[in-house]
Amino acid sequence: MRINTRKKFEKEIDFFSDEFQQEQKRLETYIKQRPLPRPKTTKSVVITWVLIYLLVAFLLAATVIYLFKITKIQWLCYLVSYIVCALFFSKTICIKAIECYQHYAKEETRRKCVCVPSCSEYSIAVLKKYHIFKALRKIRIRLLNTCGGYGYVHDEP
Amino acid sequence: MENRNKYLLLARRAREEDNSEDAKRYYDMVRTEDPDNAEAKFFYSYYRLMDGTVGEAGSKYDAMCKGVNTTISLILESDASDEEKKALVLAILAHLEKARIAIVNNAPGSASVNIQEIKKSIFAKYIEAFGEDNDIMFEVYRFKKDFESRSMKEKYEFGDEIESKFASVPQIMALALDLWKKCVAEQQTYYNTREAIECKGMAEKYAEKIKKYDPTYVMPKKAGCISFG
């Protein structure tokens, strides 16, 4: 069952309907026993990617300043360079950060999620599928509105 | 007559020990000795249902339920002691519930008889004969809890009703506690729905109430990755 969580209460939940109860039982059973993937992404991998981003952004700005001999608005070059690189690296860094969470988070914490697929799996899928802004918006809706408060929810990206 | 009493005693003992094979055999012997014995008729059909195949479960269950009202009347009219009659009626109610659960789990939709009406009529007959004692009230409230659908708020209030009447009877109070626990868990899982919002603050209040009776109770946390409380 899909619930439109952006418009609250648009769809009333009929607790007594067999269809709802059966779907909830099925999802609950699956969620309580689902396998939790533990990717090999550690803290050092995430730090490495952040350092790569900082270095690339710095080198890009420095190259532009050197090539065009900019002397007055160097700070603007750095700013633009960091923003452009952020757009380029953000998806990878976000995915690595989520994988790092999946690697370290306690099982108890990860089993709090009541959605299928879990919020971290959903976030990775969304980041791979959409551009960064749309992905972040979808992740926000998922975390704050969909996951929790409406029972067990099946919500594919 | 002597044989009948002996077999009946053995059958009851086997039933109490959950030895269905012996219970069925002895009740069958009682039926041979005394074909009109109501207790033997009911329990034999019960054990026949439990031993049977899924395919014929529905028809056997229907046949068993249809005979229950007559069985209860015959038991109440018999010359047994009141205690014996009460124990027998309560045992029949318990076995009816076991059979219902077995049918729901193994052959859903196969039975056509309305068990709710039958149970109501048994309760009425028992109360008419012996008054409202704790044993039958436990069955009545368990029936109401299981069969009558209610909103979340009504469930909390139903628990209050039980508490106001039977706070000193742990057996019945356990029904209210069970209901409150389920409601609190439900409210913590579905807290964004209209029903749960109408009951805002009740989960905490009833969790405190449950703790009074069951100090080991821990209120479940709100479901979800980020639940803010």
Side-chain angles (χ1 to χ4, degrees):
Chain A
M1 194 179 97
R2 292 291 297 267
I3 300 165
N4 187 347
T5 47
R6 265 190 277 172
K7 288 182 181 173
K8 280 191 176 184
F9 318 128
E10 190 176 90
K11 181 152 188 171
E12 284 283 325
I13 293 176
D14 182 6
F15 280 99
F16 302 120
S17 75
D18 286 345
E19 187 197 343
F20 178 73
Q21 295 288 349
Q22 279 171 11
E23 177 73 357
Q24 288 292 295
K25 256 186 198 169
R26 192 183 64 77
L27 287 174
E28 188 184 356
T29 316
Y30 171 73
I31 285 168
K32 283 184 177 167
Q33 296 169 353
R34 71 174 152 202
L36 299 173
R38 297 275 182 195
K40 286 176 182 171
T41 314
T42 54
K43 275 183 258 179
S44 53
V45 175
V46 181
I47 292 168
T48 309
W49 273 99
V50 172
L51 289 176
I52 289 170
Y53 154 66
L54 293 172
L55 189 68
V56 170
F58 174 78
L59 287 176
L60 181 71
T63 313
V64 169
I65 289 165
Y66 175 75
L67 286 177
F68 297 99
K69 296 188 171 48
I70 299 165
T71 50
K72 284 183 180 176
I73 46 164
Q74 285 184 358
W75 63 271
L76 191 64
C77 285
Y78 282 109
L79 185 69
V80 171
S81 166
Y82 277 99
I83 290 171
V84 169
C85 287
L87 290 173
F88 188 76
F89 281 98
S90 57
K91 278 174 89 165
T92 315
I93 291 173
C94 285
I95 290 171
K96 293 292 170 197
I98 294 164
E99 283 178 354
C100 183
Y101 158 79
Q102 288 183 331
H103 183 87
Y104 289 107
K106 285 179 194 168
E107 188 171 339
E108 185 195 346
T109 313
R110 292 190 64 190
R111 292 230 179 261
K112 273 179 78 179
C113 184
V114 287
C115 294
V116 177
S118 72
C119 288
S120 55
E121 286 165 3
Y122 176 91
S123 305
I124 292 173
V126 155
L127 280 163
K128 282 178 182 168
K129 194 171 175 182
Y130 302 106
H131 61 77
I132 184 74
F133 299 112
K134 191 172 180 182
L136 288 177
R137 191 170 61 86
K138 279 184 162 282
I139 292 168
R140 180 185 63 81
I141 291 169
R142 176 65 181 268
L143 284 174
L144 299 182
N145 295 7
T146 313
C147 184
Y150 297 94
Y152 301 94
V153 182
H154 189 184
D155 176 30
E156 294 286 344
Chain B
M1 200 63 158
E2 202 180 301
N3 273 347
R4 189 206 75 166
N5 288 344
K6 191 177 82 184
Y7 294 143
L8 205 53
L9 200 70
L10 287 167
R12 282 178 188 171
R13 199 175 292 166
R15 171 162 58 81
E16 278 157 21
E17 287 168 359
D18 248 356
N19 184 349
S20 58
E21 207 173 293
D22 280 358
K24 186 183 172 188
R25 193 157 52 87
Y26 287 126
Y27 275 123
D28 194 25
M29 286 170 163
V30 176
R31 279 172 73 239
T32 323
E33 295 282 325
D34 175 9
D36 295 329
N37 189 291
E39 181 188 345
K41 261 187 187 175
F42 173 79
F43 284 107
Y44 180 74
S45 58
Y46 168 79
Y47 288 114
R48 211 166 58 101
L49 163 72
M50 296 309 236
D51 281 354
T53 58
V54 172
E56 54 191 12
S59 56
K60 280 184 180 173
Y61 178 74
D62 286 347
M64 182 187 82
C65 291
K66 278 173 190 163
V68 168
N69 265 322
T70 323
T71 307
I72 298 290
S73 300
L74 288 171
I75 288 169
L76 293 176
E77 285 162 14
S78 70
D79 49 4
S81 69
D82 277 2
E83 287 308 309
E84 210 173 318
K85 285 180 195 172
K86 278 183 189 179
L88 213 48
V89 175
L90 291 170
I92 287 175
L93 276 171
H95 283 78
L96 267 180
E97 183 62 15
K98 278 185 194 173
R100 187 189 68 83
I101 292 168
I103 285 285
V104 168
N105 290 336
N106 300 310
S110 62
S112 60
V113 77
N114 186 352
I115 189 71
Q116 300 187 33
E117 289 305 316
I118 292 170
K119 277 197 168 186
K120 277 181 191 171
S121 118
I122 298 174
F123 296 148
K125 280 179 184 169
Y126 183 100
I127 290 168
E128 196 185 318
F130 310 112
E132 292 183 353
D133 61 17
N134 287 342
D135 292 327
I136 197 67
M137 290 323 280
F138 170 73
E139 293 293 337
V140 170
Y141 278 100
R142 190 168 71 169
F143 169 80
K144 282 186 180 176
K145 175 180 154 275
D146 292 346
F147 285 99
E148 291 175 8
S149 56
R150 294 180 172 81
S151 67
M152 211 177 265
K153 202 174 180 183
E154 285 167 345
K155 278 183 195 166
Y156 281 127
E157 286 167 359
F158 182 63
D160 285 339
E161 186 192 322
I162 297 176
E163 193 194 22
S164 66
K165 289 178 185 168
F166 303 101
S168 57
V169 187
Q171 190 195 15
I172 305 179
M173 204 45 219
L175 293 174
L177 289 181
D178 186 39
L179 200 61
W180 285 339
K181 281 178 189 174
K182 272 185 191 165
C183 275
V184 171
E186 208 170 77
Q187 201 173 340
Q188 294 294 79
T189 311
Y190 302 95
Y191 54 86
N192 267 342
T193 59
R194 189 183 292 277
E195 265 204 275
I197 286 172
E198 278 171 6
C199 302
K200 206 175 180 184
M202 285 172 101
E204 290 77 13
K205 186 183 146 192
Y206 281 90
E208 287 302 312
K209 260 191 176 186
I210 297 167
K211 272 183 196 168
K212 271 189 211 167
Y213 294 96
D214 179 7
T216 57
Y217 174 73
V218 181
M219 185 183 172
K221 287 179 182 167
K222 279 187 174 176
C225 288
I226 303 172
S227 57
F228 299 114

